[in-house]
Amino acid sequence: EDIGEEARMLGFLPALYNNTILIGLAAAGFLYLLLHHDLSSLQISIFGLILTFYGLVALLIILGIRHRTWVELFIFGIVKIFSRLLGNSLRSAGLREALDDMYTGLMLLRKRGWLKPASGSVLDIGFDMLALYLIFIAAGQLINPIVLMVGYSVAFLLGVSAFFVPGGIGVVESGMVAVYTSLGVPLDVSVVAVLSYRLLSFWLPTVLGFAANGYLGRKIGRKISQENSSIHLEDSI
């Protein structure tokens, strides 16, 4: 049972903390830009809609702690409506399993504490943003840290929303370029910096990971075959 709980935490906590931190960063950055920069009506509308959506999601999760049945019925109703509009069938089993994992993880957090895993997520996102900041400097653009934070957080929240796209490929890149360009960063610099960052942080590790997975899979397969052959040989003797 303890192993099962740990597995649930490992599967749930990183996404929970990372998305919570991204929402906080996006909200703080948007508020700063709203107060200190001349944002267009379109920018205010887009950023406001994104933050409103995630704010409602967070509110539903909080309400679900005490009123889980009501919240699940509401979520299934919304998903069913969108499934009909998109012409897709509703996979209730997968959605229910995801909700079970989420609330199991939240209950485990209340029992075992949240500070250490939250600190890990803060460091993870902080160093990731630092890498992007240094790439902008290498591209010849000294970017405002607040602008960097808004572009980073909003783009990754868009990537999370496009859950049907593995790793947010295309969504994160286009979102970052669009946000940074709209906030005054030259388009050519934004494209070079964002694509370089994604190459180093996502595409290259993904390709290397697939290659390593294939190599290790074949190696383990050969080892298992050798062990099975040894067992059969011993049995025949």
Side-chain angles (χ1 to χ4, degrees), residues 12 18 21 29 44 53 65 94 96 110 112 115-116 146 193:
F12 169 76
N18 288 349
I21 292 168
I44 293 174
F53 170 76
I65 296 175
R96 189 172 299 279
R110 296 176 66 180
R112 302 192 180 185
L115 186 58
K116 287 184 179 180
I146 301 297

Side-chain angles (χ1 to χ4, degrees), residues 135-217:
I135 290 174
F136 266 110
I137 292 177
Q141 180 72 31
L142 186 61
I143 189 171
N144 185 325
I146 301 297
V147 172
L148 176 84
M149 181 176 71
V150 172
Y152 179 94
S153 55
V154 169
F156 274 98
L157 289 175
L158 289 173
V160 172
S161 302
F163 56 88
F164 49 86
V165 180
I169 297 176
V171 178
V172 173
E173 292 85 349
S174 59
M176 276 191 179
V177 171
V179 173
Y180 287 135
T181 303
S182 71
L183 294 176
V185 180
L187 176 60
D188 55 345
V189 175
S190 296
V191 171
V192 170
V194 169
L195 293 183
S196 299
Y197 159 74
R198 287 289 281 175
L199 174 66
L200 295 174
S201 66
F202 180 77
W203 299 338
L204 189 57
T206 300
V207 171
L208 293 176
F210 274 117
N213 181 65
Y215 169 76
L216 292 174

Side-chain angles (χ1 to χ4, degrees), residues 22-181:
L22 289 174
I23 293 171
L25 290 176
F30 174 63
L31 181 61
Y32 175 88
L33 293 174
L34 191 63
L35 294 175
H36 298 280
H37 289 262
D38 187 19
L39 295 179
S40 66
S41 299
L42 180 60
Q43 289 173 325
I44 293 174
S45 299
I46 292 174
F47 294 160
L49 283 174
I50 293 172
L51 293 177
T52 300
F53 170 76
Y54 280 101
L56 290 174
V57 170
L59 179 61
L60 278 176
I61 292 174
I62 294 171
L63 287 175
I65 296 175
R66 292 183 175 273
H67 308 283
R68 180 173 170 178
T69 302
W70 179 85
V71 169
E72 286 187 353
L73 289 174
F74 178 79
I75 291 175
F76 275 101
I78 295 295
V79 172
K80 191 173 183 179
I81 292 173
F82 277 98
S83 297
R84 288 178 178 175
L85 292 176
L86 297 175
N88 296 327
S89 59
L90 173 65
R91 297 180 179 178
S92 57
L95 180 57
R96 189 172 299 279
E97 184 178 347
L99 291 172
D100 287 340
D101 288 344
M102 179 180 68
Y103 284 111
T104 299
L106 288 174
M107 287 189 294
L108 290 172
L109 281 180
R110 296 176 66 180
K111 292 192 298 183
R112 302 192 180 185
W114 55 270
L115 186 58
K116 287 184 179 180
S119 301
S121 291
V122 169
L123 290 174
D124 179 34
I125 292 177
F127 281 115
D128 205 37
M129 290 179 60
L130 177 61
L132 179 58
Y133 180 74
L134 295 176
I135 290 174
F136 266 110
I137 292 177
Q141 180 72 31
L142 186 61
I143 189 171
N144 185 325
I146 301 297
V147 172
L148 176 84
M149 181 176 71
V150 172
Y152 179 94
S153 55
V154 169
F156 274 98
L157 289 175
L158 289 173
V160 172
S161 302
F163 56 88
F164 49 86
V165 180
I169 297 176
V171 178
V172 173
E173 292 85 349
S174 59
M176 276 191 179
V177 171
V179 173
Y180 287 135
T181 303

